[in-house]
Amino acid sequence: MASEDDTTKPDHQWIVTHTVHANRRNVFSFGEAEAYHVGTIISGSRSKLVRFDGDVQLIAAAPELKELLEEAVKLLDANSALRERIQATLQKVRG
């Protein structure tokens, strides 16, 4: 995560918190304008919580990853093949 004085800090970030249930996590979005509860993620398996935690970490990093991909598209504009691949991935991230 970027430092507080870093100009590349994402506009918002997602914070994941534990719940009283081992297989659930709450996701909150914190931005400059607002903060809100995105939702609760429930693991499909109580026996594979390590995998679940890894997946949740990736989800929590999504805003920063999205901004990183957008910046990469700008920097790699000269290389059209790589740029197209990154843009396709970015479209998947955007939904």
Side-chain angles (χ1 to χ4, degrees), residues 70-82:
E70 289 172 340
E71 189 63 29
V73 168
K74 292 175 190 175
L75 293 172
L76 300 171
D77 206 15
N79 185 334
S80 62
L82 186 54

Side-chain angles (χ1 to χ4, degrees), residues 20-67:
V20 296
H21 303 283
N23 67 331
R24 296 180 187 193
R25 303 291 182 269
N26 284 318
V27 180
F28 295 92
S29 176
F30 290 93
E32 293 190 26
E34 65 179 333
Y36 59 93
H37 179 248
V38 174
T40 301
I41 301 172
I42 302 171
S43 173
S45 170
R46 288 184 185 261
S47 64
K48 297 184 179 174
L49 295 178
V50 172
R51 180 182 69 186
F52 174 63
D53 284 337
D55 292 341
V56 170
Q57 287 177 352
L58 182 60
I59 291 167
E64 190 172 357
L65 291 171
K66 176 183 170 270
E67 289 190 17

